[in-house]
Structures are given as C-alpha cells and as structure tokens.
Amino acid sequence: MDLLSGELEVEKHVQYILSLEEKKDSLESVAMDYLRMNGAYWGLTTLDLLGKLGTVDRDEVISWVMQCHHESGGFAGNVGHDPHILYTLSAVQVLALFDKLDVLDIDKLSDYISGLQNEDGSFSGDIWGEVDTRFSYIAICCLSLLHQLDKINTEKAVEYIVSCQNLDGGFGCTPGGESHAGQIFCCVGALAITGCLHHINKDLLGWWLCERQVKDGGLNGRPEKLPDVCYSWWVLSSLIMIDRVHWIDKEKLAGFILDCQDKENGGISDRPNDAVDVYHTYFGVAGLSHLEYPGLKAIDPAYALPVDVINKIFFGRK
Amino acid sequence: MSSDEEEEERIPISERKEWLDVKPIPQDEGLNPVVPIAYRDDFRETMDYFRAVYLSDERSPRSFYLTTEAIHFNPGNYTVWHFRRLVLESLGVNLHDELNFIESIAKVNSKNYQIWHHRRWVAEKLGTEVVKAELDFTKKILFLDAKNYHAWSHRQWVLQALGGWEDELDYCQKLLEEDIFNNSAWNQRYFVVTRSPILGGLEVMRESEVKYTVDAILSNPENESPWRYLRGLYKGDTSSFIQDPEISSMFLKVLKTKNNYVFALSLLLDLVCHGFELNEEFKEAVEPLRPSQPDPPESNFAIIICSVLETIDPLRSNYWTWRKSNVTS
C-alpha cells in the first residue's frame, strides 16, 4: 500500500524505548514503577515488531520478571508489589516473546487465575474483587497461551461476556456499561480465543467500529470523543477478528498514526503534537503492523503478540 | 497534594519522632539518579518507609498515615492501596472519613482505576446508607468530565446494588441539556429506562422516549447517539418502528434540509431492508441527494441510498458498497 504521508522513524522509536530503561530514576519513571510489567510488555513487543528485540539483555529481563513472581502464582507490576491479573498476563507475554514460558510453574499460575473466577463467570483482578470484562480477556488469553483453558469454566466465562453485550453490538465493562472500544477488544478477543465469535453480530459491531473513524483518519473509542492512537489497536484488532477491517479507510488511519510520531526524539503520542509515552508507541506500531506497514512483523489481533511467537506456542514452529 | 498541605513545610520522615525506630528500605533496583530534586527525595523517602512497614506488615495508625502520604505522591500505586485496605480493616478506621479522603484524591485523578475500585470497596462495606453520598460523588466527578467511564460504571453499580433510581432519568435529562452529544448520558438513559424498578420498563416508556429522541435528532441530526438510542427503543419490534408516523415524519424533515443526513439515510436503509415502503414524498426527498444519474438509471431506492452514502461518507465507502451488494430487489 502507498503510504506517502510520512515515514515510520524506526531507529528513533527503538532509541526511545531503550532510553526508558536508562531513565529509571526520572520522576515519571518512578511514578509509573508499579506498572513496569505492563511497560516492559509494551516496550519489548514494540521492539520485536520492529525487529530489534535482540538489542535488550534477555537474561536480565527474564530475571527481573521472575523477581516479580508472587508465591500465590501471580505476578506483580514490579519487585515488591502485590500480584494482579493485569501484570500476570504481561509477564507471560514477555516470557513468550523470549520463548521462555518454560521457566513458569504453569500449574501454580493457572490456579492463581482460575481462583479469580467468580460464580457468574466473571473474573476479578485480584483478591479485592474488582470485576471488569478486561479481566475476562486477560484470564482467557493468559491461560490459552499456557494451554490451560480447561482450568476455568469457559462456558460461564463466555456467558458473562455475552451478558455485557449492548444493543449497538458493542460491549461494556459490566452489563449495561457503555460500549467502549477497549472493552470491545477484550470481549471480542476472549470470544475469539474460546472459539465463540458466533455470539457476536459481526455486521452490527463492525458498523459500530467503523463509525469510530473521524475525518482526520484517526479512531475514537466512543461516539463524539476525540481520536487517540491507542484505538488504532483496540478498534483495528476487533475489526480484524470479526473480518471487517476493510470497512475503515486504512490509508487515512496509517497517516494519522504516523502524524502522532515525535520524529525528533522518538516515541508516539495519543494524537499529533502531544507528549509521547511507551503505551501509545506500542499501540501505534501495533496498529501499523495490522495495516501491513512495510518492514513490521505481523501481530496477532487476539493475543497481542507477534504472529511468529503465537505460531511457536500453538504449532511448535516459527 | 492539597493546597493546605503545600503550605505546610513537610518534615522529612527521618526527622519525625514517631518514626525513629523504623529503618527505611530503599528500592531494590535503584540506579544512578538523573537529577536530584527535593520533590523526588520526599517521594523516595516516603516509599522507602512504606516499604519498611509493608514488609513488616505493621498495621498501625502511623502506617495508615504513611499510605495517605504515599497516595498523595502517587495514587496509581496499587500496592499502597492494597496495604491501606489491610490496615483499614485491622484498625477499624471510620469509613465515612475514608470516603472523604477518596473524594479529595479522585477529583484530581479521576481516571485512576485504583481509586475507583477502593471507593467501591468502601461503599460496599457501608451499604445502602451511602446511596446518596455515592450518587453525589459521581455527580461531582461527572461535573468535571461528563463522560468519565469510571464514574458512570460506579454510578451504575450504585443504582443496582444500593438503589436511588428516583432521580436518575432527570439527571440524564439535565446532562443531555448541557450536552446533547454526550453518549454516556444517552447510554445511562437507556440503562434507566430499561432497568429502573420504578419506571415500568421499555414498553411503557417508549412513546415518551421516542418523542424526546426525535426532538434531539431534529435539532442535531449529525449526532450519532440519539440515532442509536432510537434503534434501542424499538429493539425486537421492527414493525412498530416501521409503522410509527413520528419516525416517518422525522426522516422527511431531516432529508429535506439536505444537510447532515448520513445517519438518517443509514437508518432509512435498514428500515427499507426490513420492509419500510417509500412513498412519493420520500422518493422526492431522496432524489436530489443523488450524486449523479447512473446509466442505466437505478430505480431501487435501497441501492440509491447506498450510492449516496458511498459518496457522502467516503471513509466507510467499503461498508456502503457491501450494503449495496446485499440489497435484494
């Protein structure tokens, strides 16, 4: 495809991500230290998509990841923190990138996750009981990567997710919650992984999703909200999973993402000329991968990991 | 930090009498500091002392106070909130005071998951006595950002778990008067109309809701939300939808303005595909919107509508082309 609106500054983005490691003592970095596991997943996956995962010290990363492992079986966001399902998925995804899932005590981890399932099929984030369809996706994605889906009640899990489906075809965080592209990604992803996409009205949802595209080509997450690069992932992945991605203008979206780069210092922001962060850098690059931007590795829309990583896990080959 | 606290000089914890027996524990992976700034040292010190009481599991008033300080520095740290809950439970802290604390933090960190979760945890413990407090709290947050997803999610939980439905439809009304484009308020309106134990359900409410929605559409036909809301009102009852004269009249009004008619045509297309018959008045309203007369001229109005949409909504032209291919003559 013809992308003359701008170039992806690969080297600058790689340097930006690597520099985050060095800036560990900056105020911003210290303030975000409790979610470093998420940050590691965003940064490392982006590097892999750009073909530069080899620039990091694999053993150092894995050693740090395992220091975040809690005796309950879950992972914390950083050393010395409490476990949570959010960081457990990121940890598993990071290990998958390095093909080191074998360092895990899979039974213990699976027990931690299955222990978070509630009677109605929903999942809590941790021992404190917060419920959200995000956690349904996380549980299903994580266990599927470890071939342990049978450890949970998938039928009830699916039932709960379907109960969060709204009339517009979208999904909210809980039943009756406003349809939101992030929640939609989680529900569609969970249904895709469990082989239950037949519960979705793909035409109806596809239309709702393609209506997220605004004039400048970017995507928003709900009607009448501003576009944001992160929706390049949530909306785009969802459209791909239901085979409706051709309903948006892909070229215009790619142009929007490229406009959100900081071409001087690297990194991508939520919308043009805003401050960059690793979260939006990941979603921008992942979105461009979905749009088949040349030179990027393909990324799996449901597992949010490079396709070659997924192939290794499910088919034993790269 | 609140402005009151900024005026007070912060005494370093190492100089406070009540902390002299505690040895602070630094972060395991500390590296060379970039630029030492006073603010950062305060933060680091607070977290070093927090780490000490957390690891020794000290559930005391001073620990509790320390979590307050840590939260002021960094409200996203879920481990601090986790420990605060443990201490709260052990000490039997006044939960009403806790609600006030959460409110003060939430106002400046309204999209923080930890804060909202903590709020729900406290509210759940207090039960129905706080229904008004919770509705008032979410109202304050929504006043600052009327689409805050967390606030709406909390509000929906409050209604279903604790009650308080009486004024909810009025509240939605008020928010929509302030911003008719607020999709969250429309969603909440649907939530109330379909789930409120007081109102009688969708069937009972439909007539008045259709009137309200049609008015909203006529004042801003480019507004996506009321169109979706309208579809929701007729859920599972397309024939009523098709037969409602108010709906027909609404379509004609919008089309005749020759302006902002994308959503109107999109809904019209769906209804036509479900058996809605276009009379002469409709055909005359759609005709002038056609980009050009194709050769041979098209007489199937569903196809004509698709062609118009392909032209006026180019971002989604592939979708409209697909819709066109699905039209059966």
Side-chain angles (χ1 to χ4, degrees):
Chain A
M1 59 184 295
D2 189 19
L3 288 164
L4 297 175
S5 54
E7 252 181 34
L8 182 64
E9 300 285 341
V10 174
E11 264 318 304
K12 292 265 161 79
H13 298 320
V14 170
Q15 288 315 311
Y16 167 71
I17 292 169
L18 295 177
S19 75
L20 292 172
E21 242 335 83
E22 285 150 40
K23 285 202 218 108
K24 269 205 284 218
D25 257 30
S26 71
L27 180 60
E28 186 204 317
S29 183
V30 174
M32 303 296 258
D33 107 316
Y34 65 90
L35 53 61
R36 184 154 284 136
M37 192 61 72
N38 288 159
Y41 159 73
W42 294 322
L44 294 168
T45 309
T46 307
L47 288 176
D48 199 13
L49 292 175
L50 298 171
K52 305 283 189 183
L53 190 58
T55 54
V56 302
D57 185 332
R58 179 181 97 150
D59 293 329
E60 201 184 301
V61 172
I62 291 168
S63 150
W64 166 75
V65 167
M66 292 318 289
Q67 281 184 272
C68 300
H69 194 222
H70 197 257
E71 57 187 7
S72 61
F75 281 83
N78 205 342
V79 177
H81 284 265
D82 292 291
H84 195 285
I85 207 175
L86 288 167
Y87 310 112
T88 305
L89 174 62
S90 290
V92 168
Q93 287 170 316
V94 168
L95 292 172
L97 284 174
F98 291 114
D99 194 15
K100 286 304 269 176
L101 290 173
D102 52 6
V103 308
L104 287 169
D105 181 338
I106 291 184
D107 285 332
K108 212 151 157 220
L109 203 154
S110 309
D111 286 343
Y112 171 76
I113 292 181
S114 60
L116 292 169
Q117 185 167 29
N118 302 307
E119 267 192 54
D120 62 0
S122 67
F123 282 85
S124 297
D126 64 7
I127 56 170
W128 297 101
E130 181 191 3
V131 169
D132 190 321
T133 45
R134 288 181 296 146
F135 306 143
S136 300
Y137 166 73
I138 287 170
I140 287 169
C141 180
C142 200
L143 289 176
S144 176
L145 288 170
L146 301 172
H147 310 290
Q148 301 288 314
L149 263 183
D150 56 344
K151 289 278 169 70
I152 55 166
N153 186 335
T154 37
E155 211 179 293
K156 278 239 100 154
V158 166
E159 203 180 286
Y160 179 76
I161 292 168
V162 171
S163 77
C164 298
Q165 190 167 75
N166 294 319
L167 282 185
D168 51 20
F171 294 84
C173 61
T174 45
E178 189 184 0
S179 290
H180 181 288
Q183 309 290 154
I184 289 170
F185 164 78
C186 291
C187 294
V188 174
L191 293 175
I193 292 171
T194 50
C196 294
L197 283 173
H198 55 274
H199 288 291
I200 292 177
N201 182 333
K202 294 183 185 179
D203 295 334
L204 183 60
L205 178 58
W207 179 51
W208 188 93
L209 288 167
C210 77
E211 286 287 350
R212 294 310 108 234
Q213 190 161 35
V214 299
K215 246 168 114 177
D216 60 5
L219 302 172
N220 63 25
R222 294 181 270 170
E224 296 300 321
K225 299 248 2 190
L226 293 174
D228 183 324
V229 153
C230 68
Y231 295 112
S232 310
W233 172 262
W234 309 124
V235 173
L236 210 49
S237 286
S238 303
L239 280 170
I240 290 175
M241 287 190 274
I242 59 172
D243 310 309
R244 303 286 189 271
V245 73
H246 51 289
W247 286 357
I248 58 156
D249 185 325
K250 295 200 240 180
E251 245 183 74
K252 275 205 124 174
L253 176 60
F256 174 81
I257 299 172
L258 292 168
D259 281 345
C260 293
Q261 298 178 92
D262 180 339
K263 293 191 157 200
E264 301 270 312
N265 307 306
I268 297 177
S269 60
D270 58 353
R271 51 190 78 90
N273 304 313
D274 276 355
V276 305
D277 58 55
V278 69
Y279 169 89
H280 288 96
T281 303
Y282 162 70
F283 287 117
V285 172
L288 287 171
S289 167
H290 273 334
L291 296 170
E292 297 171 311
Y293 189 91
L296 298 181
K297 272 196 185 182
I299 186 166
D300 184 286
Y303 292 100
L305 283 167
V307 167
D308 58 357
V309 170
I310 296 303
N311 284 343
K312 190 127 212 284
I313 291 171
F314 289 102
F315 306 117
R317 66 185 148 94
K318 272 199 182 283
Chain B
M1 303 236 285
S2 71
S3 53
D4 297 316
E5 285 166 67
E6 270 166 359
E7 278 159 31
E8 280 174 37
E9 271 272 340
R10 181 187 178 276
I11 303 169
I13 302 175
S14 57
E15 290 169 26
R16 301 181 202 174
K17 227 174 22 163
E18 68 272 22
W19 284 100
L20 289 175
D21 62 305
V22 175
K23 188 165 185 287
I25 302 177
Q27 177 76 5
D28 210 334
E29 37 152 33
L31 288 174
N32 304 315
V34 177
V35 176
I37 317 166
Y39 180 80
R40 208 163 45 83
D41 283 347
D42 292 353
F43 179 22
R44 187 199 295 279
E45 188 195 37
T46 304
M47 291 315 295
D48 289 351
Y49 274 90
F50 170 76
R51 221 165 274 116
V53 298
Y54 171 69
L55 288 170
S56 65
D57 199 16
E58 183 190 310
R59 305 206 192 167
S60 63
R62 71 178 178 183
S63 292
F64 185 69
Y65 181 70
L66 194 58
T67 62
T68 304
E69 281 198 54
I71 284 166
H72 277 304
F73 277 115
N74 187 6
N77 191 318
Y78 67 105
T79 298
V80 175
W81 286 105
H82 160 90
F83 188 64
R84 188 181 176 90
R85 283 189 280 274
L86 293 175
V87 176
L88 261 172
E89 282 186 322
S90 296
L91 296 181
V93 168
N94 182 318
L95 293 177
H96 289 278
D97 291 342
E98 188 67 0
L99 289 180
N100 291 334
F101 169 69
I102 299 168
E103 183 171 320
S104 67
I105 305 283
K107 280 180 167 156
V108 284
N109 297 280
S110 62
K111 294 195 184 178
N112 176 308
Y113 281 102
Q114 283 74 37
I115 294 173
W116 285 100
H117 170 55
H118 190 71
R119 180 91 193 186
R120 176 151 341 171
W121 182 80
V122 175
E124 221 161 10
K125 280 184 173 295
L126 289 169
T128 49
E129 69 178 89
V130 291
V131 62
K132 186 172 181 311
E134 293 314 288
L135 292 177
D136 284 345
F137 170 64
T138 51
K139 224 180 243 195
K140 285 181 191 165
I141 301 296
L142 290 170
F143 180 74
L144 300 169
D145 172 7
K147 301 183 188 184
N148 185 313
Y149 198 82
H150 302 273
W152 283 113
S153 173
H154 187 73
R155 204 172 167 90
Q156 288 191 342
W157 172 78
V158 171
L159 289 167
Q160 294 192 291
L162 307 178
W165 293 92
E166 305 79 46
D167 301 320
E168 197 63 9
L169 190 59
D170 284 342
Y171 181 59
C172 292
Q173 179 91 348
K174 178 171 163 289
L175 287 179
L176 289 171
E177 274 162 27
E178 288 166 16
D179 178 11
I180 196 71
F181 292 87
N182 185 338
N183 192 66
S184 306
W186 281 103
N187 182 73
Q188 187 74 349
R189 195 176 178 111
Y190 195 76
F191 184 81
V192 174
V193 162
T194 51
R195 294 175 193 240
S196 166
I198 306 173
L199 292 175
L202 187 53
E203 300 265 329
V204 166
M205 299 290 296
R206 184 190 283 166
E207 203 181 315
S208 56
E209 287 302 295
V210 168
K211 275 198 169 51
Y212 177 79
T213 311
V214 167
D215 281 343
I217 284 172
L218 291 175
S219 44
N220 293 95
E222 74 282 22
N223 185 353
E224 191 178 341
S225 305
W227 289 101
R228 293 196 182 274
Y229 188 76
L230 193 60
R231 289 166 189 265
L233 292 175
Y234 281 102
K235 158 184 113 146
D237 189 359
T238 317
S239 57
S240 297
F241 206 173
I242 292 173
Q243 286 157 34
D244 190 334
E246 241 196 274
I247 303 291
S248 296
S249 142
M250 170 197 76
F251 275 128
L252 287 169
K253 284 185 184 143
V254 176
L255 293 172
K256 284 177 182 172
T257 67
K258 300 200 178 82
N259 214 4
N260 295 319
Y261 47 85
V262 175
F263 291 124
L265 283 182
S266 151
L267 179 58
L268 187 60
L269 174 65
D270 288 343
L271 295 183
V272 165
C273 292
H274 277 96
F276 184 77
E277 302 232 352
L278 298 179
N279 59 22
E280 277 314 305
E281 208 184 346
F282 264 97
K283 292 181 182 179
E284 280 165 27
V286 171
E287 269 295 338
L289 308 176
R290 298 171 69 163
S292 60
Q293 192 68 271
D295 189 25
E298 182 56 66
S299 57
N300 182 323
F301 267 81
I303 292 185
I304 291 172
I305 291 171
C306 289
S307 299
V308 177
L309 286 164
E310 270 174 314
T311 316
I312 62 169
D313 192 20
L315 282 176
R316 282 162 278 275
S317 57
N318 286 344
Y319 173 70
W320 300 119
T321 307
W322 172 77
R323 288 297 304 268
K324 194 194 271 187
S325 69
N326 277 0
V327 171
T328 47
S329 5

